[in-house]
Amino acid sequence: LVRVELVKGRTVEAVNQVLVIMRRAPDAYDFGGVLVTTTVGRVYPLDEHALKHWLGGATQFWRWQKLKNGDSVEVLEDPPVNVAKQLLSLGERRNLKNLNAIITAPTLRLDGSLLSRPGFDAETGLLLEMSGDGIHPVPTHPTGEQVEQALTRLMVPFANFPLVGPVDKGILLAALLTAAVRPVLPTAPAVGFDAPTQGSGKTLLAKCVAVLALGEVPTIWPHTHARDDEEIRKRIMTILMTGARAVIWDNVIGIFDSAALAGALTSQNYSDRILGKTGSANVPNKALWLLTGNNLTLAGDLPRRVLKCRIDPEMDRPFARQFDVDPEAY
């Protein structure tokens, strides 16, 4: 613990001391102007109470207290409310490390170099959270044979998905490669998984792509029938505030048109009001957006910003199929 003395009328001095501590801390970041902490691959925005809890684990506040006999003794204090409020109100003026996303596997930087060292990478704003023992060696200059082997291994769990044609296979491959490098890309199109009937495997296919991006099964967001874009705007902000790297927007019904989602797909950052609070935030958008739907029909700007991958099992009960490989588990 770093000790910080509290002196009446010198709150700013205490705040500046705490900022020095936060700039060195491995788990405190600015996330689009929002103060966050990170743990186990997730981003957690800090409010006043959560920040006081974090401060209690990183600092020890104390003050001198004069006794009746004239002596002074050190008295420990809880993190002061006014210190927490000032830290939250400073926004990007805190000058902490700027976090764009947390990744759990190596990726490529835009210049083609490999980002494989665990910890925070200032060049990309990415935090790689994984043990050094878990890093699979990646050749800097792979041979054609190594590329073929990697592609074969990558496509094993997708062998039994009934992709309609070569364009659909190409879009699936594009989705898989995008999942691996999405955190360094300014923007990326969404991918829509389409089928003629229920039970064809659309959501399973989307989950498998998302698992490669996350290293875990993602949260699935059911489609919402909002009368206007207000509900969708709130949902997008809620999703991005958690630092999500893959989003499954499941079971789109009817004609889907959303100016908010279309705007998010072409924006490096997303700005909106924070739900339940005054003020707004401008958070990084490093998510791979995956949509599913039966006969997926898009309108407005979405058709230009969503690649559609269609599967068709050509049977009445596609959900009854049996596979040799569980693709999600694989």
Side-chain angles (χ1 to χ4, degrees):
L1 293 178
V2 179
R3 289 167 56 82
V4 176
E5 182 183 0
L6 297 174
V7 180
K8 186 176 182 179
R10 294 167 64 181
T11 300
V12 173
E13 183 177 327
V15 169
N16 288 334
Q17 287 182 272
V18 172
L19 284 173
V20 172
I21 299 167
M22 299 185 80
R23 289 167 189 153
R24 297 172 179 170
D27 60 344
Y29 298 90
D30 278 325
F31 187 66
V34 179
L35 181 58
V36 301
T37 186
T38 61
T39 181
V40 197
R42 298 183 185 275
V43 174
Y44 294 94
L46 296 176
D47 59 13
E48 178 184 317
H49 303 289
L51 177 54
K52 288 177 64 178
H53 181 270
W54 186 92
L55 290 172
T59 61
Q60 178 62 76
F61 293 92
W62 65 279
R63 70 172 68 248
W64 288 110
Q65 180 172 306
K66 185 168 290 188
L67 302 178
K68 292 181 179 179
N69 63 6
D71 294 336
S72 295
V73 296
E74 292 184 9
V75 177
L76 302 183
E77 296 275 350
D78 287 330
V81 173
N82 55 349
V83 170
K85 287 182 175 180
Q86 283 196 32
L87 288 169
L88 291 172
S89 66
L90 285 173
E92 294 181 343
R93 290 173 292 172
R94 288 181 292 262
N95 291 320
L96 305 185
K97 299 182 292 292
N98 286 306
L99 179 68
N100 282 326
I102 300 178
I103 57 176
T104 53
T107 189
L108 291 176
R109 299 184 183 91
L110 286 178
D111 63 3
S113 60
L114 187 65
L115 195 168
S116 59
R117 179 181 296 177
F120 181 72
D121 182 66
E123 180 182 338
T124 59
L126 300 180
L127 175 63
L128 174 55
E129 287 194 346
M130 64 179 298
S131 64
D133 296 337
I135 297 178
H136 184 79
V138 178
T140 305
H141 302 287
T143 64
E145 183 179 359
Q146 287 174 318
V147 172
E148 291 283 356
Q149 291 174 349
L151 178 60
T152 299
R153 184 179 182 188
L154 175 64
M155 299 308 294
V156 165
F158 305 99
N160 292 318
F161 284 98
L163 298 164
V164 170
V167 170
D168 305 283
K169 294 178 182 178
I171 291 175
L172 174 60
L173 179 58
L176 297 174
L177 298 179
T178 302
V181 297
R182 175 65 185 96
V184 303
L185 300 177
T187 60
V191 178
F193 293 105
D194 178 36
T197 185
Q198 297 177 347
S200 299
K202 306 177 300 298
T203 301
L204 177 60
L205 185 53
K207 287 168 66 178
C208 290
V209 173
V211 163
L212 285 177
L214 300 175
E216 62 184 18
V217 179
T219 300
I220 295 178
W221 293 78
H223 179 62
T224 178
H225 280 291
R227 289 182 297 177
D228 52 38
D229 246 11
E230 183 70 19
E231 180 64 30
I232 293 177
R233 283 178 44 241
K234 292 178 181 178
R235 173 179 285 196
I236 293 173
M237 193 62 180
T238 299
I239 291 171
L240 295 181
M241 282 284 288
T242 66
R245 302 191 310 279
V247 183
I248 297 180
W249 197 287
D250 196 38
N251 196 26
V252 174
I253 300 173
I255 299 174
F256 185 32
D257 182 11
S258 170
L261 182 57
L265 292 176
T266 54
S267 301
Q268 297 187 51
N269 296 279
Y270 189 80
S271 300
D272 205 346
R273 296 191 305 274
I274 301 176
L275 190 63
K277 299 181 180 179
T278 58
S280 61
N282 182 36
V283 296
N285 176 12
K286 295 297 183 181
L288 173 62
W289 296 83
L290 305 169
L291 284 62
T292 73
N294 294 320
N295 298 312
L296 185 62
T297 304
L298 305 173
D301 284 328
L302 286 180
R304 299 173 55 246
R305 305 179 187 191
V306 180
L307 303 175
K308 288 172 63 174
C309 174
R310 187 170 176 84
I311 58 176
D312 187 356
E314 298 182 347
M315 60 177 61
D316 294 333
R317 300 174 67 247
F319 53 84
R321 290 171 295 166
Q322 299 293 322
F323 300 107
D324 296 331
V325 175
D326 180 340
E328 182 182 322
Y330 180 92

